[in-house]
Amino acid sequence: MEEKGKGISLRRKRTKRPPISAPRPVPPASEANPRPAAGTRLDAPRERPQLGGQTSDFVKRRYSTRFTNLPQDYRAGAPSVPSIPSNFGGHQPLGHEGQPGQGDEISVDLNALRDPHLEPEQYVAKLLSNASEQEIHDYQLNLRKTKNRASTDLQQNVYQNRTQFIKISKEAEKLKSEMRSLRSLMSDLTNALGQATTTTNNDLPGTRARKQTNRSSVANLEGLWNTQLQGLWKNVEGSQKFLPAVPGRHVIRDSRYWVELNVATWKPRRAVNIFLLNDHLLVASRKQKRVDQVLNGASQQTQSSVHTLIAERCWPLQDIEISDLPSGSGAAGTNDTKRENVAHGINIRVGQEYFTYRNDKLDGSEKVNLLLDFRKTVDELRRNLISETGEINKARNSRNYFASRDPTLSRETGLLNSLSSNNSDDKPNILIEVDGKQQNFRWLENQIDDLDIEISLQRFEESVAMVEKFRRIAKGLKGNSVAQDLITLKIDERAGRLAGLLTRQLVETHSFLNATQTHVGRLVRLGFQDRAREAYLEARTSVIAKRARQCVFEGDLHQYIFQISFVYFTMIKNTVNIYQACFPPLLMSACVKWAKEHVDAFNEILARQLSGFEPGSRVWVESMNTAKDHAMLMTEVGLHFKDLVGNTVGAPYKQTAEKGSVGLGLQ
């Protein structure tokens, strides 16, 4: 009892740990929402050590508070808390569909536009459902900027791809030439090593004597080659399909007694003949054909075998490699018979395929002679290819190649004759000086190709600048008249094509001062000032005629004259104003003449419409006064044509009016 009166102290040290008691249940708020029973284990992420007894009850009651009883005035059907208004809620973030908040700019979502399943109508309706008129206008401007940027990027990519393609093509051509030179050097090394090992068999008296006999003239040599090729077609079936008639093609060696071997087992397959030509290697198989022969008129028939050659394979010499198979090349453990199969054999490699052939002669001279002739022929063929490549490159750097790419030179007979007569000029005459450096015609051709690219992409400013540069280069070639004429001809052709594009742009934008000044200035720099003037005035004439046809006569003649005169004189004033800003004063006479012609055209219309009225009548006076008042608009640009308006009304058209109805049916 004494201990109960003192109470429980948290600081008191107990010798015996009190038992842990279960948590006491809390009375439920209502019968419909009961609490779990005491001792029921609740699901929790992890278990915690439980402290029981009165101490744990005091701690829980100290740090936890439960409200189980609702207040008396609580209403379950009360409305929810209202949302904050948008003007007090701060910045509203963009939604998932890209709809803007209050005062935000609608941005162009490129990822949404790239979607292949995009439905434009639904997307725009959803995006601009709450947008203002200014936001819609800004979004439209952003879309146009995105479209222009995409078009510019596409043109730039096309230009870069073509430039890279040209650069890679040039590098590939250069690499191909270097590889040919490397192959030639490797062939020389192989030839030298082969000659060192076969010095005893390098003398061929029969072949040398035959060549010396047939070298008496070029005609005899060509005739001999044709005879040999025709004999090959006759003796070998199907050879003409592989080896058609080509100038200079001839047979170098007819090597016989060869047997084709299986590459894997080296077993004989069939007998073949190998024909070495100056540019091809032909392999023909020998087949037996049985023929019945009648001997001495007797009925007894004997059978004899006749060999027939059939063309099997034919390869260009550049595509094959022939290697020697020495007598000791058999695999380990093979017997003497298999070694004999490749004792005098060769291996022909064509791409990834291999073919093995063995010669039946025991001395091996046929194999050695074939290898020597093959190496010499390949070396000679490579030297010819290198010389042809050098001639092609030389022709590209010459004036004739530069001129042959331009069909307009076919009409310049004088220039072509000059090119032909100067074809044998020295190298310094072909070179031209550009910015202190010596450049050949190949460089100039590449520059003209760049100019063609700029013109095709309609980069007018860069194109006009390049044309001016080439004209300065041509003007500086005073000591080389042929090159000067050739460059001038090519540049004039490009300048004419560029002027056509600029003229079309001028006709489309003749009503705008800045655009007209830009296009006219470029045409003047190209030397097409007259074309620019004529194109501009013709475009304005067509516009005046179009606007005049839009004026419809509806019964009121005074109103009709008012419309026609206003259109004519306003268009004349605007035309003269733009003309004065684009062209120099020395060319103003052409514009004045053009304005006078249109004033006369207006007088014809005026006289035709007033031909049925007496001079001095009310309609006649009102119409004339209206026309003269509108003619005063031309005085703003310095044209005083007021006295010319209506000076032909009444006199020249009286006779026409007496003949019948004119104009719009007025008598």
Side-chain angles (χ1 to χ4, degrees), residues 620-641:
W620 191 91
V621 173
E622 290 179 354
S623 300
M624 291 295 297
N625 292 335
T626 300
K628 291 183 178 292
D629 291 341
H630 287 165
M632 293 297 295
L633 295 174
M634 296 185 294
T635 59
E636 299 179 6
V637 292
L639 297 179
H640 298 277
F641 288 167

Side-chain angles (χ1 to χ4, degrees), residues 404-420:
S404 63
R405 298 181 72 248
D406 198 343
T408 57
L409 285 175
S410 59
R411 300 187 296 269
E412 301 293 334
T413 56
L415 183 57
L416 289 177
N417 294 332
S418 301
L419 290 173
S420 301

